[in-house]
Amino acid sequence: MNNKYDLIYEGKAKKVFTHNDSDKVIIEFKDDATAFNALKKAKFEGKGKLNCLISAKIFELLIKKNIPTHFIKLKNENTMIAKKIKIIPLEIVLRNNAYGSLCKQTTLKSGTILAKPLIDIYLKNDELNDPLLTKDRIELMKIISSKDLDLIIDLTLKINVILKSFFKNIKLQLVDFKLEFGYDFKKNIILGDEISPDNCRLWDLNQENDKIVSLDKDRFRNDLGGLIEAYTEINRRINNFI
Ligand code: TMP
């Protein structure tokens, strides 16, 4: 990245830089992959580019459907220009099926279709290992008002309706995903972060049997191999459809 921009923040999968316009930032998507709170780490050449391109398309789709997002435009294949927001330290996970940590922590059977989407909210805090929160704990920590929390939950449910139907059209099952929101300078709640196979579980519906074929970061989490091939396939299907 051009050194005329200052690094504001470096996360596990992205770097955020200043922009000439103080209301904007430049986000660079890295090739690094982590899992289990960075206990497991690897680099996949081309992942940053694929996640940036996929996220851009998904953000454009959501903006068309009146969801406020931080995305402004692509700068190049692995960087985007976004609105500067102050990230709310919550990870909002929506689940359509029981999988992953939900199956490790409950008696629900893997893959079970949930009668209604389940929203699990985690504290975005690596030192504490992103613990699962309750509404009361969120209130106690004064992270966000209950009105804003309701707004975020409502936006997450709306985003699920849009994304579920979009992914179904390209023969992918949206199992679950994680969102992060922030406040812009006017205190509006805006969707931030990324929407990519790093933070969505996407199963291939082009399978003749009931076998689960993950086209997302579970390929790395569960040592399945073929991560770049899976992300490339997601990007290909999105571009063929839009
Ligand atoms: P989980 O089943 O491990 O709780 O994950 C639920 C969803 O959230 C899944 O799509 C992966 C995503 N996720 C992240 O994006 N970041 C994280 O740190 C975790 C734990 C999950």
Side-chain angles (χ1 to χ4, degrees):
M1 183 71 184
N2 193 319
N3 57 14
K4 78 178 180 170
Y5 301 109
D6 295 324
L7 181 69
I8 304 172
Y9 168 82
E10 178 161 3
K12 286 181 283 218
K14 293 185 288 299
K15 288 182 183 173
V16 182
F17 295 89
T18 54
H19 185 276
N20 296 336
D21 182 342
S22 64
D23 290 346
K24 297 178 185 160
V25 290
I26 300 170
I27 303 176
E28 184 182 301
F29 287 65
K30 305 196 290 185
D31 285 342
D32 303 273
T34 63
F36 314 115
N37 199 13
L39 280 179
K40 190 168 169 177
K41 288 185 201 171
K43 230 183 174 74
F44 294 92
E45 203 185 323
K47 182 180 83 81
K49 176 184 119 180
L50 286 161
N51 279 350
C52 182
L53 296 175
I54 292 168
S55 291
K57 288 280 185 203
I58 304 278
F59 281 134
E60 280 168 0
L61 166 78
L62 293 174
I63 291 165
K64 268 195 211 141
K65 305 272 182 185
N66 295 317
I67 302 290
T69 89
H70 69 158
F71 178 74
I72 298 174
K73 63 175 184 179
L74 279 175
K75 181 170 158 65
N76 58 47
E77 285 191 322
N78 69 336
T79 41
M80 58 171 64
I81 299 176
K83 290 174 197 158
K84 187 175 189 168
I85 58 171
K86 191 173 184 304
I87 284 284
I88 299 162
L90 295 175
E91 300 198 351
I92 318 294
V93 169
L94 183 143
R95 301 174 194 275
N96 292 308
N97 299 76
Y99 206 66
S101 68
L102 182 61
C103 293
K104 291 185 186 142
Q105 295 165 359
T106 67
T107 54
L108 290 166
K109 263 187 65 190
S110 180
T112 309
I113 298 169
L114 305 179
K116 63 182 175 94
L118 170 69
I119 293 191
D120 281 335
I121 303 180
Y122 299 84
L123 183 65
K124 185 176 161 68
N125 184 318
D126 286 343
E127 273 170 43
L128 295 177
N129 217 356
D130 296 350
L132 180 61
L133 297 177
T134 62
K135 274 198 169 188
D136 287 347
R137 287 184 181 193
I138 295 171
E139 200 182 317
L140 272 175
M141 284 187 286
K142 298 188 171 55
I143 294 177
I144 184 175
S145 69
S146 65
K147 183 176 143 273
D148 282 359
L149 183 61
D150 288 346
L151 227 149
I152 283 178
I153 291 172
D154 187 49
L155 274 171
T156 303
L157 290 167
K158 282 190 180 132
I159 291 167
N160 183 47
V161 172
I162 298 166
L163 294 188
K164 228 176 121 174
S165 129
F166 171 73
F167 282 122
K168 196 166 173 218
N169 281 325
I170 55 171
K171 299 276 180 281
L172 293 167
Q173 183 175 340
L174 179 62
V175 174
D176 55 30
F177 56 89
K178 184 263 301 182
L179 302 178
E180 293 182 23
F181 292 87
Y183 291 107
D184 68 5
F185 67 97
K186 289 184 190 154
K187 286 272 172 202
N188 294 312
I189 289 179
I190 310 274
L191 175 66
D193 196 39
E194 65 183 279
I195 301 189
S196 73
D198 262 18
N199 58 358
C200 298
R201 281 200 175 95
L202 296 164
W203 290 350
D204 193 6
L205 288 170
N206 282 340
Q207 296 297 318
E208 276 161 20
N209 46 27
D210 284 345
K211 204 176 142 224
I212 293 172
V213 174
S214 300
L215 296 178
D216 55 59
K217 203 165 85 173
D218 275 347
R219 302 218 67 87
F220 168 63
R221 293 188 190 100
N222 304 334
D223 299 313
L224 301 171
L227 177 135
I228 290 294
E229 290 79 357
Y231 286 32
T232 303
E233 175 61 12
I234 304 272
N235 192 39
R236 189 191 69 78
R237 288 193 201 178
I238 291 175
N239 281 291
N240 279 354
F241 187 75
I242 292 184

